[in-house]
Structures are given as C-alpha cells and as structure tokens.
Amino acid sequence: GENVEQHPSTLSVQEGDSAVIKCTYSDSASNYFPWYKQELGKRPQLIIDIRSNVGEKKDQRIAVTLNKTAKHFSLHITETQPEDSAVYFCAASNLRGNKLVFGAGTILRVKS
Amino acid sequence: DVKVTQSSRYLVKRTGEKVFLECVQDMDHENMFWYRQDPGLGLRLIYFSYDVKMKEKGDIPEGYSVSREKKERFSLILESASTNQTSMYLCASRLQGMETQYFGPGTRLLVL
C-alpha cells in the first residue's frame, strides 16, 4: 500500500523567512496530494492541494510543487508569520481517492 | 459551511470498557472516516464508510468496529478498551466524488 514520508519533523524559522516541508510517496498510482494545517487544539484544515496533472500550485503565500517522476511533493510558505505556527500534514490518495495516507506531520514554529 | 461534530472532546475510560465515539456531519456527505492521531505517526485510518450501512477497514482496524445507521452519523466502537488505544480520534466526512475531507474537532481518549 501507499506510504508517505514527511520531513522535517520539526522546523523553526524566523518571522519573514520561508519554510519548506517535503514529502515522498511510494505508490505511483497516487494522484491527489493535499496539505492540512492543524493549529494547537484545533481540527486539521485543508490549506492547499495538488493533482498529478499539475506541477505547481500557488495560493498567496503558500505553494505546493509535485515531482511525479521522483514521487515527491513539497509545501512552500513564504514570508512566514507567527500564525503559520502549527502542525502540517501532507497526504496522498490513490486513483479511487477513497483513502488518504498521511505523513507523520511537521511542527512549524515561527519565531517573532 | 461544513460542520463535523464529535460527541466528546475529552473522554476517560477504564481498560475493558466498551467505548462509543460519535461523529455527526450536517452536509449530507456520503463518505465518513475515522482516524487516530498519535505523535510522530500522523493520522492513521481506522475505518471508513461510503454510505449508510456500508463500511470498510482502514489501515488499523484491530480492536475497533463502526456503525453507520444514518447518513449523518458514524460511530466508532472500542469493544474492550485497552491502554494502547489512548489517542486522539478524528472523524472526517466528504462528499462522494470530491476529494476534500472535513474534520471534526477530535476526541482525546485516555484509557486507564
């Protein structure tokens, strides 16, 4: 089955700097890759997603890139702010889209 | 706005007890999911349901069962709670054919 690895497990950046979180997946049939943000004590919420027919997607300060050949995708956050501090999860799902397999999560701390 | 609610935010049970976790969504979503979240392991799928009275095992179904008698409600049952089931339990729902899953606030279960 699908396996998703996520790095780093923790990331500290200075406010205003960029943050990059990377994920690799094992199943070449996976075609949907969402990123969820979970603030402390709150539910995970989708922040951006990408499908396998697209190499990059951007939404204001966040962007996701996908390399299908290498089977990895990354989340980029520019001009980080304290409110970006949270746990970020990547995930991948197969063609049927029935099951999301999540990475272990990255704790992002933005220091002001 | 999608609303997914869970019956309890915090729950303390004793080993051997039967535990019911309830999840309700108000958006007429066909698909519902139960995950457990543990530090360093991300979110792992326990069970999911495509529609009423339908269920499928996820990646870690052992020690759990589910019930979906009504479309809006998906119950997770721990038949005989054990200490290794101490965890955060997250419910999610999704409209059939769409990819985005919407999460509930989670139930933090402690089994003593």
Side-chain angles (χ1 to χ4, degrees), chain B residues 63-104:
Chain B
Y64 304 94
S65 62
V66 290
S67 172
R68 183 105 183 262
E69 294 298 316
K70 293 185 178 181
K71 193 174 188 179
E72 66 270 19
R73 187 181 300 270
F74 191 32
S75 303
L76 180 69
I77 304 152
L78 286 67
E79 296 290 344
S80 177
S82 63
T83 54
N84 63 12
Q85 292 178 310
T86 290
S87 187
M88 169 70 87
Y89 290 87
L90 288 162
C91 172
S93 74
R94 180 185 69 184
L95 192 65
Q96 178 70 31
M98 304 299 287
E99 288 148 330
T100 303
Q101 293 188 21
Y102 297 89
F103 284 87

Side-chain angles (χ1 to χ4, degrees), chain B residues 11-19 36 38 62-64 77-87 89 109-112:
Chain B
L11 213 50
V12 180
K13 296 292 181 181
R14 299 226 172 256
T15 54
E17 279 192 77
K18 192 168 185 176
V19 182
R36 64 176 282 176
D38 300 287
E62 297 78 20
Y64 304 94
I77 304 152
L78 286 67
E79 296 290 344
S80 177
S82 63
T83 54
N84 63 12
Q85 292 178 310
T86 290
S87 187
Y89 290 87
L109 173 67
L110 173 62
V111 182
L112 300 173

Side-chain angles (χ1 to χ4, degrees), chain A residues 72-89:
Chain A
H72 67 71
F73 56 112
S74 301
L75 178 72
H76 304 253
I77 306 173
T78 58
E79 300 171 24
T80 53
Q81 300 167 5
E83 51 265 37
D84 295 327
S85 296
V87 181
Y88 291 81
F89 294 98

Side-chain angles (χ1 to χ4, degrees), chain B residues 25-36:
Chain B
Q25 50 89 10
D26 67 355
M27 287 301 292
D28 206 34
H29 285 177
E30 290 85 1
N31 305 159
M32 296 187 76
F33 307 83
W34 274 107
Y35 296 89
R36 64 176 282 176

